[in-house]
Amino acid sequence: MPTTHDIDTGGKAPALEARGVSVFYGETHAVKGIDLAVPANKVVALVGPSGCGKSTLLRCFNRMNDLVTAARIEGTVGFRGKNLYDDDVDPVEVRRRIGMVFQKPNPFPKSIYDNIAFGPRINGFDGDLDALVEQSLRQAALWDEVNNRLNDSAYALSGGQQQRLCIARTLAVKPEVVLMDEPASALDPIATQRIEELIYELKKNYTIVIVTHNMQQAARISDYTAFLYMGELVEYGPTDTIFTNPREERTEEYVTGRFG
Amino acid sequence: MVPSAPDLSFRSGRNRNERIIGAILFLCAALSTLVTVGIVGVLLTQSFAFFRQVSVVEFLTSTQWTPLFQDKNFGILPLAAGSFLIAGGAAIIALPTGLLAAVYLSEYAAHRTRRILKPLLEILAGIPTVVYGYFALTFITPILRSIWPETDVFNAASGAIVVGVMIIPTVASLSEDALSAVPDTLRQGAYGLGATKLEVSTRVVIPGALSGILASFILAISRAIGETMAVTIAAGNLPNLTLNPMESIQTMTAYIVQASLGDTPQGSLAHQTLYAVGLTLFLITLSMNVVSQWILGRFREEYE
Amino acid sequence: MPGAEGPVGPRTDGGLGGGQRPRDRRRHILGDVFAVVCGAATLVGVVALAILLFDVVRDGVGQVDLAFLTSFASRFPERAGVKAALAGSVWILGLTALIAFPISVSAAIYLEEYAAQNWITRLIQLNIANLAGVPSIVYGILGLTVFVRALGLERSIISGALTLSLLILPVIIIAAQEAIRAVPDSIRQASYGLGATRWQTVSRQVLPMAMPGILTGTILALSRAVGETAPLIMVGAVGFIAFTPSGLGDQFTVLPLQIFNWISRPQDEFHVLAAAGILVLLALLLSMNAAAILLRNHYQKNRN
């Protein structure tokens, strides 16, 4: 099992670093002792067949698994030198710094404005909320489409717009890392393309970890790709290498579409 | 170079508030348990005082209930018989009617018809019991007395009829839930073999939902036993060990009302009868409800 | 019955045409009869409801006027009204809502959003299900012993409201749990993902979405409380009151109790008053139910 990876972090400390992370759901061992370093300001794609543990691993990075009562997590996740699973760490604080975008767009049943404003408000933001909302919507490339109807219900938006709204909502909390769990899987090709362009833009300011089942998408948008299979990290490296010259036979079979 | 470690520690004020809120919510949920403890505690302690003076054997076997008379007898049988006479009569009316209505709603009725009929049944379930009592006394009893002139003014039949009507919605609604839970694949399988709707309903759907239907029956009968006002008004206040529905009787619930209306001094044996009868009523209805829920739990497992 | 199979000769229409075998014809007639029987069974409840309403309206409608609503009870039927009872019912309604709503919703929030899956949670849940099936008169015994006597609240309006609050506690909890459970998990995930605490998630996202359902369930539970008679008889609401309550410690009566009081008198004049009282009670319940339906429709419209 590979435990070291030729990841070039450019001399910088990784943004996130999983060491020996295991997740158990009752009797099921969903993630098995994974080591994985996420370089700052890069896009890391987690790929693998469904049930391989990629979403579960993603949720370890912002302690969303804590919300599943049956889940038990072992190992450490380093975030700027701090283990996210230390006893004195508040998962709520973790999620404020490490944001998450989900598989299906899940806007709140409120106005576009209130969707963006929810995060800052609960964080006690006391600056110019209007400016923050505009900035977040601009970052998510949604401002031009919604600036004249910020008080409309978020449910009035198309699926792709809703997902960009969810991204804007995440950015409004000013996270350092954004986790994305198959963010385009419920969208049509055009909306998907817009999300991918957006991810490329966001890389400048954020570290992104994205789960995807779409190999072309992983190849297009990620700098590094990790291939998981049955809860194990089979191979992790620069996306080019993973797709053109993988070390492991299983990786090659998967990325070329021979199974999974 | 390693940037300074982020502060991810618990915000003490916020964390304390979260804990306090969680504790308050838990106390509210736990309060419901306290209600049960209160009911059981009150019934047991007061009944204990009663059973120190009246033996359990006399309570359960004596055929006379005359606690307020000079010649005191403390046999629960006449009251229990009254309750069961009402419940039995109500069951004869409500169980088949409710089940057939459930079959109609689940298997036959068009969507539009269901949308009209179900709220109507809900209204029936929402009519206060004192109204049913009025209906029994001023409408049903005169009809019964014109057909069978020897019928008492207060009689079990009148009470049983309205209690039966009252519990039809319980049977219909819970049975319909059970029938609807039977997977459509079973119906399609039977239709595929050329079965008619009648055959599918009676040989596939009803057997498939049997435990759910049974649970609805038990729950409805338990409600009939616990029913108070309609039987107090219509069936009378005469403890009477009889199977004749045309006679005046007294149910356990009606006795509790009567005992609390009168001025029996607190702490007297006559007053403690209220708790002994209450305990009996509670144990009967509780065990029926528990059995019903147990059956329902097993039924849900079947289709999950 | 092979003898009834009919002709076995060659068929030209593949057996699908009009020439049905007698056995098949019988099956279809039987099926039609069954459908009619099921439909008729459903109508039993509806017809009973119609007769009941007709009976009450016929008896009481002539009596309902402004004087009836603004007069106190009286020994003279022609002067009697429901002023005290109506005021008492409104007091009980408001107080019960104030007590039961926050406790029940908190308990429901705890069970759905906070509780760990352990034996304590299961116990509380099981207990709530069982409490919902306890006869209302048993709550009356509890109220009499604990509120009226042990806590020294006497035969007051607060004793009545507390007793009814305990009675509808499980009903509201169960309805609120269903409404909270209906809020999609994706909303919670989104909120937690933005760094919201549990209480922030519950209070700002989950509760607002669940509130219409919670309110509908609460109104229906309250209308049950407004129609209750037996527990209030136990805690000492009285049938003859010539003043409207002005405080929590006052004696009181409520509409169902006033109705019961009038039914219990042998004279027909009082039965007419009872019918009129029932009309007032039903009007009150109807307006509560209408509010619940409006709320539900408003909510469904907004969601789409």
Side-chain angles (χ1 to χ4, degrees), chain B residues 50 64-75 79 239 250 255 258-259 264 269-274 277:
Chain B
F50 172 81
Q64 299 270 318
W65 180 259
T66 53
L68 307 173
F69 293 180
Q70 204 72 36
D71 174 26
K72 291 184 175 18
N73 285 287
F74 299 96
L79 297 182
Q250 185 171 45
Y255 174 74
Q258 189 197 20
T264 52
L269 187 60
H271 185 259
Q272 283 157 356
T273 56
L274 193 154
V277 176

Side-chain angles (χ1 to χ4, degrees), chain A residues 143-172:
Chain A
W143 175 253
D144 293 339
E145 293 162 57
V146 301
N147 65 50
N148 57 353
R149 48 174 174 143
L150 292 177
N151 291 320
D152 285 9
S153 166
Y155 285 8
L157 299 174
S158 71
Q161 287 173 324
Q162 286 187 7
Q163 193 62 303
R164 276 181 283 143
L165 178 71
C166 291
I167 293 174
R169 185 175 67 183
T170 303
L171 300 180

Side-chain angles (χ1 to χ4, degrees), chain A residues 25-220:
Chain A
Y25 291 124
E27 298 292 301
T28 322
H29 196 169
V31 169
K32 299 172 184 168
I34 286 186
D35 295 333
L36 187 141
V38 178
N41 294 97
K42 298 289 180 195
V43 177
V44 172
L46 307 181
V47 303
S50 32
C52 72
K54 53 190 193 296
S55 281
T56 305
L57 176 63
L58 187 78
R59 281 154 188 263
C60 290
F61 288 135
N62 69 342
R63 295 193 56 172
M64 284 299 272
N65 282 329
D66 288 29
L67 302 170
V68 185
T69 36
R72 186 164 59 80
I73 295 132
E74 288 175 3
T76 64
V77 176
F79 172 62
R80 295 209 279 128
K82 181 78 186 164
N83 174 19
L84 296 184
Y85 286 87
D86 274 353
D87 286 343
D88 64 340
V89 169
D90 183 356
V92 168
E93 285 301 319
V94 171
R95 296 182 201 124
R96 288 180 181 187
R97 285 155 201 269
I98 302 174
M100 188 160 209
V101 176
F102 298 85
Q103 189 168 358
K104 275 193 194 150
N106 54 355
F108 300 125
K110 302 177 180 208
S111 72
I112 293 169
Y113 185 96
D114 284 341
N115 262 277
I116 310 283
F118 175 72
R121 278 179 183 146
I122 59 169
N123 281 303
F125 178 80
D126 53 3
D128 185 347
L129 197 54
D130 290 355
L132 180 61
V133 169
E134 177 174 346
Q135 184 199 358
S136 307
L137 285 168
R138 280 190 192 282
Q139 275 185 293
L142 191 60
W143 175 253
D144 293 339
E145 293 162 57
V146 301
N147 65 50
N148 57 353
R149 48 174 174 143
L150 292 177
N151 291 320
D152 285 9
S153 166
Y155 285 8
L157 299 174
S158 71
Q161 287 173 324
Q162 286 187 7
Q163 193 62 303
R164 276 181 283 143
L165 178 71
C166 291
I167 293 174
R169 185 175 67 183
T170 303
L171 300 180
V173 189
K174 307 253 179 239
E176 293 162 45
V177 180
V178 178
L179 309 175
M180 299 188 172
D181 190 358
E182 305 198 25
S185 66
L187 305 179
D188 62 61
I190 292 170
T192 301
Q193 196 193 338
R194 301 208 59 170
I195 299 280
E196 289 182 8
E197 288 163 4
L198 178 58
I199 291 170
Y200 191 79
E201 280 297 310
L202 293 175
K203 191 166 78 166
K204 294 170 192 157
N205 298 312
Y206 303 91
T207 305
I208 293 170
V209 185
I210 178 169
V211 164
T212 179
H213 61 265
N214 179 334
M215 285 308 106
Q216 286 80 15
Q217 186 172 64
R220 280 194 300 266

